[in-house]
Amino acid sequence: MTINYSKAYRNPEISRSLAAQIKATCNRPIRLMEVCGTHTMAIFRHGIRSLLPDDISLLSGPGCPVCVTAQADIDAFVALARREQVIIATFGDLMRVPGSGSSLQKESAAGADVRVVYSPMDAVRLARENLHKKVVFLGVGFETTAPTIGAAMMMARQYELENFFVYSAHKTVPPALAALMANPDVRIDGFILPGHVSVIIGTRAYQPFFDAFRLPCVVTGFEPVDILQGVLQLVQMLAQGTPGLANAYPRAVTDEGNAQARQVMTQVFTPCDAPWRGLGVIPGSGLALGGAFAVFDAVAHFDLQVTETPEPKGCACGEILCGTKTPSQCTLFRNVCTPMNPVGPCMVSSEGTCAAYYRFST
Ligand code: SF4
């Protein structure tokens, strides 16, 4: 049953009541994965773990877009930044992610023109203001950000810009869930599904995954009551042996999602196989630029060779993104790898699991 808590999603009394119900219902050790990095941060920030019984393990999943971006893509971003007459436009999280030999931040310090933007529309504006240069927006994100980047390309098309490009490293969530389940080392009893991705794709997008694996799945939001309500529904499904696909975030998520945003995605992108850090190449999980929008493709325009490169030695980001290790099981955590000196992307990103553990756990 979904309870509509309306505006009471930060009410401590409701949180305590939900936590008590979870404790009373949980009848065995269970492992729940919060797929999304925003959930990981929210769970730490609100102290949700301290409210749950020891029998419930919360695992972080592959839902931080910067963290799952393949090392080869990071290296390609660096290679692009080194090109003459190129302006790189990127969200800030990517700046410090270490590639094989450099990072965007280091390239910027060495003289490359790398600009942090807050919206892909800012990158379009940069292109209009710098017609003698080529502006490349680094498209990293899931279904949440892809529509806005698609809309930016539509805008660039209207302006007939010939100096605006997008490196599309976008990924989609449902194929990653199936890829996780194919990994024999992964043990998950239920999924806390991402609220913001689901605003766009709707709960129905998970139906094929649910039908294939019959694991409890609940879409939920990011406030304490949202998260606890999602956990309670998962625990109830497991206790009763009645797995389901539920929506504990009805104030934002519908069955069908945002039709307009999905239409933009369909117009601009076409599914492709994509490499994920930790999960390898997942068929149909990427978003390439398609049709009339292929002209914006930075990889094709700059004839970039994106080849597989090894991940940082000793870094366990891959296992952490699959929920088979926690940051404290990485030998580099805290002693070598810190937010000031990140070895892997999970320590850099504001949604990274290692960054969350570093900041909130002792
Ligand atoms: Fe990688 Fe650092 Fe996390 Fe270890 S602590 S997995 S090195 S990001």
Side-chain angles (χ1 to χ4, degrees), residues 312-318 320 327 330-334 337-338 342-348 354-355:
K313 203 163 174 236
C315 173
C317 277
I320 288 166
C330 171
T331 52
L332 306 184
F333 181 67
R334 277 192 198 279
C337 182
T338 65
V343 176
C346 296
M347 188 58 94
V348 180
C354 299

Side-chain angles (χ1 to χ4, degrees), residues 100-116:
S100 302
S102 185
S103 66
L104 290 171
Q105 189 181 50
K106 285 181 184 165
E107 293 305 314
S108 174
D113 197 346
V114 183
R115 316 265 184 108
V116 172

Side-chain angles (χ1 to χ4, degrees), residues 309-325:
T309 43
E311 289 168 14
K313 203 163 174 236
C315 173
C317 277
E319 290 109 310
I320 288 166
L321 292 164
C322 293
T324 54
K325 272 191 181 175

Side-chain angles (χ1 to χ4, degrees), residues 117-277:
V117 294
Y118 295 97
S119 152
M121 295 301 179
D122 292 342
V124 174
R125 182 181 46 75
L126 268 178
R128 295 184 76 198
E129 292 169 354
N130 295 274
L131 292 172
H132 58 295
K133 293 193 174 182
K134 294 180 178 180
V135 173
V136 182
F137 181 77
L138 304 181
V140 167
F142 295 118
E143 294 93 331
T144 330
T145 46
T148 59
I149 295 164
M153 277 181 269
M154 288 176 167
M155 183 73 78
R157 209 161 160 239
Q158 270 179 20
Y159 290 137
E160 298 181 353
L161 288 176
E162 293 180 356
N163 67 330
F164 177 73
F165 302 93
V166 171
Y167 187 121
S168 182
H170 297 102
K171 296 177 175 60
T172 53
V173 167
L177 302 179
L180 270 176
M181 296 308 295
N183 180 340
D185 296 330
V186 170
R187 288 186 302 112
I188 299 168
D189 297 304
F191 283 99
I192 299 168
L193 296 175
H196 39 23
V197 162
S198 306
V199 167
I200 306 296
I201 66 175
T203 43
R204 207 172 285 153
Y206 302 103
Q207 194 65 50
F209 169 75
F210 176 73
D211 291 342
F213 296 97
R214 305 295 298 177
L215 272 187
C217 292
V218 178
V219 173
T220 192
F222 303 97
E223 300 294 346
V225 169
D226 293 327
I227 296 168
L228 288 164
Q229 193 189 355
V231 171
L232 177 59
Q233 289 192 25
L234 288 168
V235 170
Q236 286 170 335
M237 288 180 197
L238 287 164
Q240 293 160 10
T242 53
L245 169 58
N247 180 8
Y249 197 25
R251 71 178 184 277
V253 175
T254 60
D255 279 355
E256 58 282 352
N258 183 321
Q260 206 175 348
R262 283 192 288 105
Q263 196 187 4
V264 170
M265 285 173 66
T266 309
Q267 268 181 270
V268 175
F269 298 104
T270 182
C272 65
D273 300 349
W276 294 57
R277 193 182 294 262

